[in-house]
Amino acid sequence: MEKNYTLISRLNNQVQWRGIFSLILAVLLSVSAIAQQTGRIIKGKVTDAANAPLPGVIVRVKGTATAVTANQDGEYSIRVTSGQDVLTFNMLGMVVQEIPAGTRSQLNIVLKESSKTLSDVVVIGYGSANKKDLTGAVVSIGSEDFNQGVLVSPAQLLQGKVAGLNVTKSGDPNKQPSTTLRGPSTFRTGAAQEPFYVIDGVPGASIDLLAPADIETIDILKDASSTAIYGSRASNGVIIVTTKKSKAGQSRLSYSGYGAVENVSKTYDMLTAPELRKYLADNGQAPLSALDDDGSDTDWQKLIERTGFSQNHNVSYGGSGQTSDYGASVNYLNNEGILKNTSLKRTIVRGYINQRFFNDRLKLGVTVSNSSSNSEDVYSQTTALSNMLFFFPTVSPFNADGSYKENYLRTGSGTRNPLSVVDNNLINNKNEKTLINGIASLNIMEGLKFTASLSTQKDQTNNKTYLNSQSGLARNANGVAIRSEILNTTKIAEGYFNYDKTFGKHSLKFLAGYSWQEDKTNDGFGLQTQGFSNDQLGANNPALSNPTGLSQLILDQTLVSSTLRLISFYGRAQYNFNEKYLLNASLRNDGSSAFGLNSRWGLFPAVSAGWRIISEDFMKSVPVVSDLKLRAGWGKSGNSLGFNAFSSLLVYGAGTKFYNNGLISNAIGPVRNENPDLKWESTATSNIGVDFGLFKNRITGSVDYYIKKTSDLIYDQYAVSTTQYPTNVITANVGKIKNSGIEITLNAVAVKTPNFTWTTSPNVSHNKNVVEALSDAIYKIDFIQTAQLGGKGQSGNYSQIIQPGEALGTFKLWNYAGKNAAGISTYINAAGQTIASQPLTTDMKIAGNAQPKYIYGWNNSFNYKKWDLNFLVRGVLGNKILNATAAGLNTPADAKLQNIPRSSLTESFADVNAYLISDRYLESGSYLRMDNATLGYTIKPKSPTIKAIRLYFSANNVFVITKYSGIDPEIDMGGATPGIDNNNFYPKTRTLSFGVNASF
């Protein structure tokens, strides 16, 4: 009975508490209802200055979470609680308005365009700045100004658009363009000569992770006063890429795509089979043997080249609400090369989401990008491209039994069937890149913001190469398989504070941050084996091979896994007084494990100043000038790109083999000397520039003059004594190189009427490059010979030289003196004598260099009602190209061994010297190219769901004007041997494409 009473008592207590809670809840709901009843609704419409509705405007009750978004007609409805509430109207590109609620119930707003639109904001590294406040040499290119056409790399978007930026690209879909900013400043190749990329704040992110359609703006930081904030990786300039994001209050869905046809723009004019037979007969030569002449007439260029078809599709969507924004995109590219069995297929998937908390004080975001590419290529592409010229046109590709026709006993240059090279030696390369970036930003107090980011990037490459049983490059091997699996990973953690403060006429901005980065490279293996029973599996299963000995089972010794770490502290201060006087200073301290124990840390300072002359009172009397700013800066940045973790260490590797207890073992010994003083290359740049605007900014532009000096250049072949060091060479910092030049950029609205607009944007730059030193008190070398091109009797010759007083890419060649009475090529030797025999290497002379004196671009855009037309002309002046391809082809006396070009018909058959690489083959590399012409038509249907549809037709490489006799004058300008055409230049293409852009 007592237990029952206790249970009933507990139940009663629960009922009582529930009643109390219900009562409290009812009171709260009543209070809320009363509060809502005491508030009121304000309605209205938001328009622009032309009375057009502005959908997507965020209307917020200031200081609260209450917010709404204007609809498609610009209409809104929001509840306020009192007349003291303030409504804010916010939209990207428009001036923010704040209006007290008062007693009104209807409030229509007209928003004005902001002078600080997206195009006026430039990303400068760990922050942004308005263009008018910049004190360094910075150029910003928006998506509306990007190049169009079949583009495999975002770097191609900038070709011809930026003064001082030289981007060269062949027709090879699997080769990245070479990008040089303000001249070369290192002897090293690869990443060491490229600008440093930053994508959405992630330093060093792979540019291959982006589709061109996903890019909003690209900001190019040229001088060290701008780039020094990135310290030891910024001496070649910094390219900052910002991707497209959803605008406030708007949702978007867009599609862009094109289909394209590519053809070879120019081919070599080689002799046909009847012409070759006649040439031999006219010069008293015996007919070719049956192996070399089966009565055919084969055009090998047409046989291994093709019409390439390409397509690209990009779908993206996104949205932005009161507290979040999100987006995603998918891009698919299929680019067929014009050389058979070369192609690139790539899919890029991106997605991001940002969430804001606590009245937008805390922002959390994550971005995921993945690029998956599958490329096909030809092993020994050089052999295929050269043999399509040299191989006899008098033979057919196949024997009667279907096998590839070869004559392995033939000597000369064209000894392999080019179709066999293309069909039987294939590379399949799969690459997977993934970048995950998380970011958190917190507004600690007014003006003070902290940002933290974590990112990880994975780069996995799986390479399969198979030279099948019919391959003339792997005779009697019964198939050769080459496999490699390589993983590279990068982890980055950064945290930095931004503090902005404005008081009176003074404006201050401060930045202080820390960065940690770890790169793990070459984590994988490489294997080559041979001897397969058939070709069906290719390189998919190397275990089925049957090598007859260890010499046929080869491990790739270049794949050495390593870990590299970089730690940095950085800061920047910006001061603006009265919108007239600007000052900027930055300092970065980098520490890298790649360098010697005595030199692992380096300071990279920068300072710059600007004077906005237009803001001075005396400029009011010069109304024609609408903007004028003078800026000057100096800074120091470094180049640590392209180094591995063992660059400064004593490294041991495999030596010769020896017998060890009856077994063959690899000897291990030192292969690299230690240098505890090895450090990064350092570049100091002085820059002075003027930005101006005329006639209410109908004409704007800039002029920059710079001096760029690089010291501590790294070279890995300085001779040392083996009594002091384990090996006879060492890697050391010794060299100096200087670039100086001027850049001019103009933008003009030439014509502007209600229906027609013409804007024109020319740019031109001049750069002078000179090597100043190669030696110091310890390490001495007079010159460095480069460009060993080979050729009959020339295998030990070099065609370029690096030496003080000359530019990088300077040619040193034999001096051609014309032909003698017998039609034999003659040369001038070191003694000044004319000789008709092959000269000595000591007879070579300086003959010019590959560096262009001028790089220019000229973009024009025309808009008439719904039509638009754009064309870009670009080119270079004053550079030289060594046409070693023409030299190798010009062998009239060898016409019985290989094909010759039509130009050789004017040569004497007795000229045994015609092929020698001399200044005879050093040609002008100047050219003018209409790079792109695009005609578009935009449809804007009267539909709330379709914003615009644009149809366009585009042509790339429309024409080129040049005196260069080779395939194309746009020769690779990167690396230590620029400006050389040596039988391996993948032909440039001419492209016609049709595309559509649609936004919803």
Side-chain angles (χ1 to χ4, degrees):
M1 192 69 183
E2 184 177 347
K3 291 181 178 179
N4 291 337
Y5 176 78
T6 302
L7 178 61
I8 292 172
S9 176
R10 288 178 178 175
L11 289 172
N12 287 335
N13 288 337
Q14 289 180 5
V15 170
Q16 290 174 0
W17 280 110
R18 286 178 180 175
I20 293 172
F21 284 133
S22 298
L23 180 61
I24 292 173
L25 180 61
V27 171
L28 291 174
L29 291 174
S30 299
V31 171
S32 174
I34 293 171
Q36 290 181 9
Q37 291 171 2
T38 58
R40 70 180 191 282
I41 298 294
I42 295 180
K43 297 181 179 181
K45 186 175 183 179
V46 187
T47 59
D48 61 15
N51 202 34
L54 289 175
V57 174
I58 300 293
V59 185
R60 183 185 296 275
V61 179
K62 188 176 181 179
T64 73
T66 304
V68 296
T69 303
N71 64 17
Q72 189 69 29
D73 298 320
E75 298 172 344
Y76 72 94
S77 175
I78 192 169
R79 178 178 293 278
V80 297
T81 58
S82 73
Q84 302 301 316
D85 285 341
V86 176
L87 297 182
T88 64
F89 298 82
N90 191 356
M91 186 179 186
L92 187 67
M94 312 299 285
V95 176
V96 178
Q97 284 204 40
E98 295 187 357
I99 306 294
T103 59
R104 70 193 88 192
S105 59
Q106 184 77 20
L107 180 58
N108 296 328
I109 294 295
V110 177
L111 291 184
K112 297 180 180 179
E113 290 189 10
S114 171
S115 60
K116 189 177 181 180
T117 60
L118 182 64
S119 61
D120 293 319
V121 177
V122 177
V123 180
I124 57 174
Y126 307 105
S128 60
N130 193 276
K131 281 185 179 179
K132 66 182 181 64
D133 297 330
L134 292 175
T135 55
V138 181
V139 176
S140 183
I141 305 294
S143 57
E144 67 278 5
D145 296 320
F146 290 161
N147 291 325
Q148 299 190 47
V150 180
L151 309 175
V152 299
S153 170
Q156 294 174 267
L157 299 171
L158 304 176
Q159 278 185 307
K161 299 287 187 176
V162 180
L165 183 68
N166 192 10
V167 181
T168 55
K169 176 74 169 70
S170 74
D172 191 344
N174 297 311
K175 186 176 181 181
Q176 290 294 321
S178 169
T179 307
T180 306
L181 182 62
R182 289 188 167 182
S185 56
T186 182
F187 301 152
R188 298 177 295 119
T189 59
Q193 286 205 355
E194 297 285 319
F196 183 62
Y197 286 93
V198 179
I199 300 176
D200 286 338
V202 181
S206 173
I207 195 67
D208 294 332
L209 284 162
L210 293 180
D214 288 334
I215 299 175
E216 184 72 50
T217 60
I218 299 178
D219 299 294
I220 302 94
L221 281 55
K222 296 182 179 182
D223 65 332
S225 67
S226 305
T227 64
I229 195 66
Y230 288 105
S232 63
R233 297 167 291 180
S235 66
N236 295 318
V238 177
I239 294 180
I240 301 179
V241 181
T242 303
T243 58
K244 293 179 179 178
K245 299 293 191 299
S246 300
K247 296 181 180 179
Q250 292 185 345
S251 60
R252 60 178 176 85
L253 173 64
S254 62
Y255 165 80
S256 62
Y258 63 75
V261 178
E262 291 187 88
N263 286 290
V264 177
S265 58
K266 183 180 178 182
T267 59
Y268 280 99
D269 191 9
M270 306 299 294
L271 295 186
T272 64
E275 290 171 335
L276 179 60
R277 296 185 188 107
K278 183 178 184 302
Y279 179 77
L280 291 173
D282 290 345
N283 286 278
Q285 300 299 306
L288 298 173
S289 68
L291 281 175
D292 292 331
D293 189 352
D294 59 13
S296 300
D297 183 10
T298 305
D299 187 333
W300 294 102
Q301 293 183 82
K302 286 185 178 180
L303 201 61
I304 73 169
E305 294 174 347
R306 65 183 179 184
T307 296
F309 296 94
S310 300
Q311 56 178 311
N312 185 287
H313 305 277
N314 195 92
V315 178
S316 65
Y317 78 95
S320 178
Q322 298 176 15
T323 59
S324 65
D325 60 277
Y326 57 89
S329 66
V330 178
N331 179 268
Y332 172 74
L333 169 70
N334 184 351
N335 183 200
E336 285 187 349
I338 51 85
L339 181 67
K340 281 186 61 179
N341 295 323
T342 62
S343 65
L344 172 65
K345 295 179 181 179
R346 184 177 65 200
T347 301
I348 298 176
V349 180
R350 298 186 72 253
Y352 72 90
I353 184 170
N354 297 309
Q355 186 72 40
R356 298 179 292 277
F357 303 90
F358 311 122
N359 289 333
D360 295 346
R361 294 189 65 178
L362 175 64
K363 177 182 176 181
L364 301 177
V366 63
T367 301
V368 179
S369 303
N370 178 265
S371 172
S372 179
S373 64
N374 190 334
S375 65
E376 294 182 345
D377 211 336
V378 176
Y379 182 82
S380 190
Q381 189 186 98
T382 302
T383 302
L385 292 173
S386 62
N387 278 254
M388 75 176 182
L389 307 178
F390 288 113
F391 205 73
F392 275 139
T394 52
V395 294
S396 61
F398 301 103
N399 294 308
D401 61 358
S403 61
Y404 291 84
K405 181 165 288 188
E406 302 274 13
N407 180 1
Y408 293 120
L409 299 177
R410 184 191 304 157
T411 59
S413 297
T415 59
R416 294 292 180 269
N417 182 328
L419 185 63
S420 175
V421 174
V422 168
D423 287 345
N424 299 318
N425 305 278
L426 301 181
I427 300 173
N428 181 266
N429 191 305
K430 292 184 178 180
N431 180 263
E432 191 92 11
K433 291 184 175 70
T434 303
L435 173 65
I436 302 174
N437 181 39
I439 189 170
S441 61
L442 175 64
N443 292 321
I444 301 173
M445 53 181 286
E446 184 177 357
L448 181 61
K449 180 180 179 181
F450 175 71
T451 303
S453 67
L454 292 171
S455 66
T456 177
Q457 180 173 300
K458 181 188 75 171
D459 187 344
Q460 175 76 48
T461 300
N462 299 332
N463 183 287
K464 292 188 294 186
T465 299
Y466 189 65
L467 286 62
N468 67 27
S469 57
Q470 297 189 67
S471 170
L473 304 180
R475 296 176 58 201
N476 303 318
N478 294 322
V480 174
I482 306 172
R483 289 289 301 267
S484 64
E485 313 280 335
I486 306 169
L487 174 64
N488 299 323
T489 59
T490 298
K491 298 177 182 177
I492 302 174
E494 289 200 288
Y496 54 92
F497 291 91
N498 290 99
Y499 180 69
D500 299 353
K501 180 68 175 178
T502 300
F503 53 97
K505 297 181 179 181
H506 307 275
S507 175
L508 291 169
K509 290 185 177 182
F510 294 100
L511 164 73
Y514 168 82
S515 176
W516 175 90
Q517 179 170 337
E518 180 182 84
D519 298 323
K520 290 186 176 181
T521 57
N522 284 338
D523 186 4
F525 75 97
L527 172 70
Q528 176 177 324
T529 185
Q530 66 182 62
F532 292 86
S533 59
N534 61 67
D535 295 321
Q536 296 303 310
L537 291 180
N540 289 308
N541 193 345
L544 296 180
S545 65
N546 298 283
T548 58
L550 287 177
S551 62
Q552 296 180 357
L553 192 62
I554 304 170
L555 294 174
D556 190 343
Q557 298 184 22
T558 65
L559 295 179
V560 179
S561 179
S562 65
T563 301
L564 185 67
R565 292 186 179 91
L566 180 72
I567 297 175
S568 307
F569 301 89
Y570 51 87
R572 181 175 60 216
Q574 298 167 267
Y575 175 66
N576 182 330
F577 175 71
N578 199 25
E579 298 294 328
K580 294 182 183 180
Y581 311 113
L582 314 168
L583 185 65
N584 187 323
S586 67
L587 180 66
R588 182 163 181 137
N589 192 20
D590 277 349
S592 172
S593 62
F595 297 102
L597 292 174
N598 301 333
S599 305
R600 286 192 166 175
W601 288 89
L603 284 174
F604 301 96
V607 62
S608 58
W611 176 24
R612 284 189 49 78
I613 305 173
I614 192 65
S615 298
E616 299 290 353
D617 291 338
F618 61 78
M619 290 301 298
K620 295 178 181 178
S621 61
V622 192
V624 69
V625 180
S626 49
D627 193 13
L628 186 61
K629 179 176 66 176
L630 176 67
R631 44 186 172 76
W634 175 90
K636 190 176 182 181
S637 55
N639 189 348
S640 62
L641 299 176
F643 287 100
N644 61 49
F646 312 115
S647 298
S648 65
L649 302 179
L650 177 63
V651 176
Y652 288 83
T656 57
K657 298 181 183 296
F658 69 100
Y659 279 101
N660 182 13
N661 293 327
L663 300 174
I664 298 177
S665 300
N666 283 318
I668 298 176
V671 294
R672 177 185 291 165
N673 287 320
E674 181 181 17
N675 186 354
D677 297 317
L678 187 70
K679 58 186 176 181
W680 28 59
E681 299 170 337
S682 181
T683 299
T685 304
S686 301
N687 193 102
I688 184 169
V690 176
D691 300 324
F692 60 88
L694 304 173
F695 309 110
K696 297 183 179 179
N697 284 351
R698 283 285 294 268
I699 300 176
T700 60
S702 63
V703 180
D704 282 89
Y705 173 75
Y706 62 88
I707 298 175
K708 176 181 170 185
K709 292 186 176 182
T710 304
S711 57
D712 300 322
L713 289 177
I714 295 176
Y715 182 58
D716 60 4
Q717 295 295 314
Y718 282 104
V720 291
S721 171
T722 52
T723 61
Q724 295 177 298
Y725 294 92
T727 66
N728 62 349
V729 294
I730 194 171
T731 302
N733 304 90
V734 178
K736 296 180 181 179
I737 197 169
K738 176 183 176 182
N739 288 278
S740 58
I742 187 169
E743 300 166 346
I744 302 173
T745 300
L746 290 175
N747 298 282
V749 182
V751 179
K752 186 174 180 62
T753 69
N755 292 324
F756 179 72
T757 303
W758 170 29
T759 59
T760 182
S761 304
N763 69 80
V764 63
S765 62
H766 163 69
N767 183 77
K768 182 179 180 181
N769 175 269
V770 61
V771 176
E772 293 190 320
L774 292 176
S775 303
D776 63 8
I778 301 175
Y779 306 108
K780 299 185 182 298
I781 191 171
D782 294 328
F783 54 83
I784 301 171
Q785 291 180 309
T786 59
Q788 194 170 10
L789 306 182
K792 186 174 60 174
Q794 304 170 92
S795 57
N797 293 357
Y798 295 87
S799 294
Q800 286 186 343
I801 189 169
I802 301 174
Q803 68 179 30
E806 302 292 343
L808 188 68
T810 292
F811 296 100
K812 191 172 184 181
L813 304 165
W814 286 320
N815 188 192
Y816 178 68
K819 297 180 181 292
N820 61 18
I824 308 298
S825 295
T826 62
Y827 305 89
I828 300 175
N829 64 15
Q833 301 168 330
T834 300
I835 59 175
S837 58
Q838 180 168 330
L840 303 174
T841 56
T842 54
D843 295 326
M844 291 182 172
K845 299 177 182 179
I846 300 296
N849 68 77
Q851 299 300 329
K853 293 181 179 179
Y854 299 96
I855 304 172
Y856 61 89
W858 182 28
N859 189 73
N860 287 272
S861 296
F862 303 88
N863 290 274
Y864 177 71
K865 294 184 177 180
K866 296 181 180 180
W867 292 91
D868 63 87
L869 173 66
N870 179 278
F871 70 84
L872 170 68
V873 173
R874 64 179 179 87
V876 300
L877 289 170
N879 63 310
K880 296 292 185 180
I881 296 175
L882 179 58
N883 193 346
T885 301
L889 288 170
N890 191 23
T891 55
D894 285 345
K896 53 186 177 293
L897 302 174
Q898 63 195 47
N899 199 13
I900 59 175
R902 192 175 310 282
S903 58
S904 292
L905 295 178
T906 60
E907 305 279 330
S908 168
F909 188 83
D911 191 354
V912 294
N913 296 331
Y915 65 91
L916 295 176
I917 297 175
S918 67
D919 57 9
R920 175 188 182 184
Y921 300 102
L922 192 63
E923 303 182 37
S924 169
S926 301
Y927 67 87
L928 180 151
R929 185 193 308 278
M930 179 173 277
D931 197 56
N932 176 271
T934 302
L935 177 66
Y937 182 79
T938 301
I939 304 170
K940 292 186 177 181
K942 296 180 179 180
S943 169
T945 58
I946 302 176
K947 293 178 63 178
I949 298 175
R950 178 175 178 265
L951 307 175
Y952 67 90
F953 175 80
S954 184
N956 292 88
N957 190 22
V958 181
F959 64 80
V960 60
I961 300 173
T962 181
K963 293 181 179 179
Y964 182 62
S965 64
I967 289 289
D968 195 277
E970 192 171 315
I971 300 296
D972 191 348
M973 293 303 298
T977 57
I980 294 178
D981 180 351
N982 190 36
N983 296 335
N984 58 354
F985 183 68
Y986 195 108
K988 193 83 172 175
T989 61
R990 180 164 290 118
T991 307
L992 301 177
S993 57
F994 178 78
V996 58
N997 298 327
S999 55
F1000 307 93

